[in-house]
Amino acid sequence: EAQVTQNPRYLITVTGKKLTVTCSQNMNHEYMSWYRQDPGLGLRQIYYSMNVEVTDKGDVPEGYKVSRKEKRNFPLILESPSPNQTSLYFCASSLIAGELFFGEGSRLTVL
Amino acid sequence: SQQGEEDPQALSIQEGENATMNCSYKTSINNLQWYRQNSGRGLVHLILIRSNEREKHSGRLRVTLDTSKKSSSLLITASRAADTASYFCATRGNTPLVFGKGTRLSVIA
């Protein structure tokens, strides 16, 4: 089954404790992206990747890192999480210029 | 960055009625896409319309695109309670897909 898998789905952590949200897709998509969704602000893009070893900043990259060492994986790293990074995070993938396939989301709370 | 803006922000209708949502954007695009999101879940792609297309249909969905006005509309005909969700437009130009803030549709049985 074609899918985008994110883990963990739910996480409560404390300020400053490094965490990684994993994202994996099985559709051989070149393009992958991370979004955060906050009430009243819609979906905002954090980082995206057009292919292996190619990553670019989205609209809200501060406080986040990503890597794309393999085509199928695109982890999101929060080196030192802060409460303003409490949000619902989505990973998505697509062929270049195609429709996006979304994961089920990761709800992160930073205390 | 270019961004689709949906209108209205929220819409409440009776089952069986048609629902129309609008999207406006600011710069030239290659295509415009509509997505649906059930509460807290991942977005699901509904339909893509290219910049050289004016209208597209998929089941009970009808999308129009007016590039001169930089606007699009999504019509859901004969709505059902299961259509209750948030609907987002997303535009793709020379930059990656950018989403609007969505329209929250409530269909009352």
Side-chain angles (χ1 to χ4, degrees):
Chain A
E1 180 189 353
Q3 58 186 4
V4 177
T5 304
Q6 298 177 224
N7 280 297
R9 295 286 315 280
Y10 301 91
L11 180 64
I12 300 174
T13 190
V14 295
T15 299
K17 186 175 181 182
K18 179 180 178 180
L19 68 92
T20 299
V21 187
T22 63
C23 175
S24 179
Q25 50 94 4
N26 63 0
M27 294 167 279
N28 202 35
H29 286 163
E30 297 92 355
Y31 180 84
M32 296 186 75
S33 181
W34 276 102
Y35 297 87
R36 61 178 288 175
Q37 186 175 30
D38 303 287
L41 298 177
L43 265 77
R44 295 181 292 169
Q45 190 173 46
I46 304 171
Y47 270 96
Y48 63 96
S49 169
M50 302 290 278
N51 214 324
V52 176
E53 302 290 1
V54 180
T55 62
D56 280 293
K57 295 178 181 179
D59 294 322
V60 289
E62 295 78 21
Y64 305 94
K65 285 174 60 177
V66 292
S67 67
R68 187 94 182 271
K69 296 188 174 113
E70 304 165 282
K71 198 171 188 179
R72 62 184 294 123
N73 295 324
F74 191 44
L76 179 70
I77 303 157
L78 285 72
E79 293 272 4
S80 183
S82 62
N84 64 11
Q85 292 178 297
T86 292
S87 188
L88 178 58
Y89 292 87
F90 288 102
C91 180
S93 73
S94 74
L95 297 171
I96 299 294
E99 65 180 88
L100 279 171
F101 291 80
F102 280 81
E104 281 299 312
S106 296
R107 189 168 292 279
L108 171 65
T109 301
V110 183
L111 301 175
Chain B
S1 58
Q2 62 191 29
Q3 182 181 42
E5 290 288 341
E6 295 89 346
D7 173 62
Q9 290 186 340
L11 179 62
S12 184
I13 60 172
Q14 297 289 326
E15 202 166 32
E17 294 180 337
N18 295 342
T20 300
M21 289 159 268
N22 302 299
C23 171
S24 60
Y25 56 93
K26 294 177 182 167
T27 61
S28 61
I29 61 171
N30 294 327
N31 65 61
L32 185 145
Q33 304 178 29
W34 285 91
Y35 289 78
R36 166 197 167 119
Q37 182 184 34
N38 285 28
S39 182
R41 305 290 299 275
L43 280 71
V44 175
H45 181 264
L46 295 175
I47 197 164
L48 181 154
I49 186 165
R50 293 183 171 78
S51 59
N52 61 353
E53 297 176 311
R54 291 298 167 256
E55 188 171 312
K56 204 160 182 182
H57 297 254
S58 177
R60 293 183 296 112
L61 305 180
R62 173 177 169 253
V63 169
T64 61
L65 179 64
D66 186 336
T67 53
S68 67
K69 295 181 180 178
K70 292 187 170 57
S71 67
S72 172
S73 67
L74 170 67
L75 168 68
I76 304 174
T77 60
S79 63
R80 306 165 182 167
D83 293 329
T84 293
S86 291
Y87 292 82
F88 294 85
C89 71
T91 54
R92 188 186 292 278
N94 294 324
T95 54
L97 209 58
V98 179
F99 287 83
K101 296 179 182 179
T103 291
R104 175 72 191 164
L105 173 66
S106 298
V107 181
I108 303 163

